[in-house]
Amino acid sequence: AADIVALVIGNNEYQREEDKLDTPVNDAQLMKRTLEALPGGADVKLLIDATKEDIQIALNALKVRAQGARLALVFYSGHGMDGQPDGYVSEDTFLLPVDASIQM
């Protein structure tokens, strides 16, 4: 395994037009380039406009990729919320996938 493994997520394209964002994808792409430019580089998986399923699969894969690594990192840029969004079983702080139902 690489010394540094990372999952980098940038979510712009949420379901409702008013929830769409302009900068998270750029943030994620910049973080990927930054991590890969570190001495020794990094093993970076980039997700753009990730669904809940995409994120769950990538987090499970990160567990495998992180075995033997010195550092495992998750970077997220997109909507987040406190509470209990539709489809989730508990109240907490959430990083929202693009297919989340955002209730304001």
Side-chain angles (χ1 to χ4, degrees), residues 2-60:
D3 280 346
I4 300 171
V5 295
L7 172 59
V8 175
I9 304 167
N11 284 345
N12 283 0
E13 295 297 320
Y14 288 86
Q15 294 176 10
R16 297 184 317 174
E17 190 63 35
E18 62 267 25
D19 295 330
K20 294 182 186 222
L21 299 171
D22 295 328
T23 61
V25 168
N26 291 339
D27 296 344
Q29 291 170 334
L30 177 58
M31 179 58 75
K32 180 181 187 294
R33 289 192 305 271
T34 300
L35 290 169
E36 290 175 340
L38 291 172
D43 175 7
V44 180
K45 167 71 174 168
L46 176 65
L47 289 182
I48 301 296
D49 297 326
T51 65
K52 180 180 176 185
E53 182 179 9
D54 295 336
I55 294 170
Q56 288 173 325
I57 290 168
L59 286 170
N60 287 331

Side-chain angles (χ1 to χ4, degrees), residues 70-98:
R70 289 188 359 195
L71 174 67
L73 170 76
V74 176
F75 174 88
Y76 174 84
S77 185
H79 281 299
M81 70 178 283
D82 289 329
Q84 188 171 350
D86 292 345
Y88 291 83
V89 296
S90 64
E91 186 169 324
D92 212 333
T93 301
F94 292 88
L95 307 177
L96 297 178
V98 294

